[in-house]
Amino acid sequence: MREFFFWMRESHFGEYMRDQQWAFSICESIHFIGVCLLFGALLVIDIRMLGYARKISIPWALKLIPIAIFGFAINLITGICFIFVDPFQYFTNPVFLIKMGLIVLAGINAIYHEVACKERICALPEGADTDTRTKWIAGISLLLWTLIILCGRLLPQFSIEG
Amino acid sequence: MKFLGWMYELPISYWIRESTWGHPIMLCFHAIGMAVVVGIVVMLAIRVATGWPKGLTAGSFEPLLRLAQIGFVMNFLSGLILFMANAPSLTLNWTFQIKIVLIILGAVLVWWQSRVLIGTPEKPGSEAVISVPTRIIAALTIVCWIAAVVAGRYIAYTLQKVFL
């Protein structure tokens, strides 16, 4: 792993990300836009799954999932670009490791929703309340993604190197 | 400038500038608020501008816009506190000025969209029908809010501290 981190840091791309401030700042901007797309789509879906805003049709809300995946994808890519700057700085930062752990949990939660709940809640009549299990999944999803944003925002405060 | 100086001298401004946690905590609120406001506004605007995904009734907009309003208030307050802590420097900062103009413009465009959509008479379960001018407004709304996010990010790079 150590060798891999060295390779990342010493690569042309790593050097480029360190030297070109505009490249880093553009990645940051795109990362923020990704946050908005991911969180916005999930907010609409999860609010409805919590049983609020029942005028929203559940099948409609679920059609926003590709936007959430798109937001996640651009954040994954820009996130990897940040790590190239200095992998050691990220992987020695406890908040970064917590953030990664929370993202994995959010992913498991989303997959569980996909296999265990999606079909059932799509079959609900318009304006119907959702079941307790669905509400739990939606609540956990919102909580996890909120914490993930907070961890991201607090990363610099917990950075050990620099 | 006197008023800006007064804000700069307030105890809360001092706390934001000097304490370890004041500034990051306020940025946390601002980041969550951003995700709520821009997230919701962009989701609705994508639907209005492109007509995708199908299956949205006009009535669905109301609860979502209320949620966006809550996020907006949160960001207005956290933004105001962050502004007070560096009022003189931020007032002179061009990225900050652009950001504020974009937010005002973005808010007006959302209000315009919502007025058209919420006023649309609705049969239960029927699709919201959207005119071409409203679609254009929605597309501009997306551009405005995304640009506001980018401008906000660049404040960190362009801010030159003015000391009082």
Side-chain angles (χ1 to χ4, degrees), chain A residues 40-64 121 124-130, chain B residues 40 43-44 47 53-67 122 125:
Chain A
L42 288 177
L43 201 52
V44 175
I45 298 164
D46 289 339
I47 287 288
R48 179 60 186 92
M49 278 173 45
L50 280 168
Y52 299 112
R54 289 196 206 157
K55 281 180 181 169
I56 299 172
S57 98
I58 292 178
W60 181 78
L62 292 175
K63 283 181 200 160
L64 297 175
I121 59 167
L124 286 173
E126 288 289 318
D129 197 3
T130 49
Chain B
I40 296 280
M43 286 317 120
L44 289 178
R47 169 60 184 82
K54 292 249 170 280
L56 181 77
T57 56
S60 332
F61 284 83
E62 251 179 301
L64 292 177
L65 284 173
R66 258 202 308 279
L67 191 66
E122 183 187 358

Side-chain angles (χ1 to χ4, degrees), chain A residues 17-33:
Chain A
M17 285 298 291
R18 275 193 301 280
D19 293 346
Q20 306 291 327
Q21 200 186 49
W22 66 268
F24 192 83
S25 64
I26 285 174
C27 283
E28 279 186 326
S29 297
I30 297 173
H31 206 71
F32 274 49
I33 295 165

Side-chain angles (χ1 to χ4, degrees), chain A residues 95-107:
Chain A
V95 177
F96 175 77
L97 299 174
I98 293 170
K99 181 179 172 181
M100 292 305 113
L102 292 172
I103 291 173
V104 171
L105 288 179

Side-chain angles (χ1 to χ4, degrees), chain B residues 44-113:
Chain B
L44 289 178
I46 287 174
R47 169 60 184 82
V48 174
T50 67
W52 177 88
K54 292 249 170 280
L56 181 77
T57 56
S60 332
F61 284 83
E62 251 179 301
L64 292 177
L65 284 173
R66 258 202 308 279
L67 191 66
Q69 277 169 355
I70 295 170
F72 190 85
V73 170
M74 185 163 132
N75 267 25
F76 179 78
L77 294 175
S78 56
L80 183 65
I81 293 170
L82 286 167
F83 171 75
M84 291 196 304
N86 277 304
S89 334
L90 281 166
T91 310
L92 297 171
N93 179 265
W94 62 277
T95 32
F96 177 77
Q97 293 162 355
I98 290 175
K99 179 183 170 180
I100 296 304
V101 171
L102 286 167
I103 289 173
I104 293 169
L105 191 59
V108 171
L109 291 175
V110 170
W111 169 76
W112 197 337
Q113 264 183 84

Side-chain angles (χ1 to χ4, degrees), chain B residues 1-154:
Chain B
M1 210 60 186
K2 210 174 164 190
F3 179 61
L4 298 179
W6 172 77
M7 287 199 278
Y8 185 87
E9 297 296 340
L10 288 174
I12 189 163
S13 305
Y14 184 78
W15 179 67
I16 295 290
R17 279 195 307 274
E18 305 295 331
S19 70
T20 315
W21 289 105
H23 194 250
I25 287 172
M26 227 28 89
L27 282 180
C28 280
F29 280 110
H30 213 61
I32 300 290
M34 172 201 76
V36 172
V37 177
V38 184
I40 296 280
V41 163
V42 169
M43 286 317 120
L44 289 178
I46 287 174
R47 169 60 184 82
V48 174
T50 67
W52 177 88
K54 292 249 170 280
L56 181 77
T57 56
S60 332
F61 284 83
E62 251 179 301
L64 292 177
L65 284 173
R66 258 202 308 279
L67 191 66
Q69 277 169 355
I70 295 170
F72 190 85
V73 170
M74 185 163 132
N75 267 25
F76 179 78
L77 294 175
S78 56
L80 183 65
I81 293 170
L82 286 167
F83 171 75
M84 291 196 304
N86 277 304
S89 334
L90 281 166
T91 310
L92 297 171
N93 179 265
W94 62 277
T95 32
F96 177 77
Q97 293 162 355
I98 290 175
K99 179 183 170 180
I100 296 304
V101 171
L102 286 167
I103 289 173
I104 293 169
L105 191 59
V108 171
L109 291 175
V110 170
W111 169 76
W112 197 337
Q113 264 183 84
S114 69
R115 215 184 44 149
V116 174
L117 290 166
I118 292 171
T120 309
E122 183 187 358
K123 283 177 251 147
S126 69
E127 187 81 8
V129 183
I130 292 146
S131 65
V132 174
T134 312
R135 283 172 183 244
I136 294 168
I137 290 168
L140 286 174
T141 308
I142 299 173
V143 174
C144 249
W145 283 99
I146 297 285
V149 169
V150 175
R153 186 70 290 245
Y154 276 89

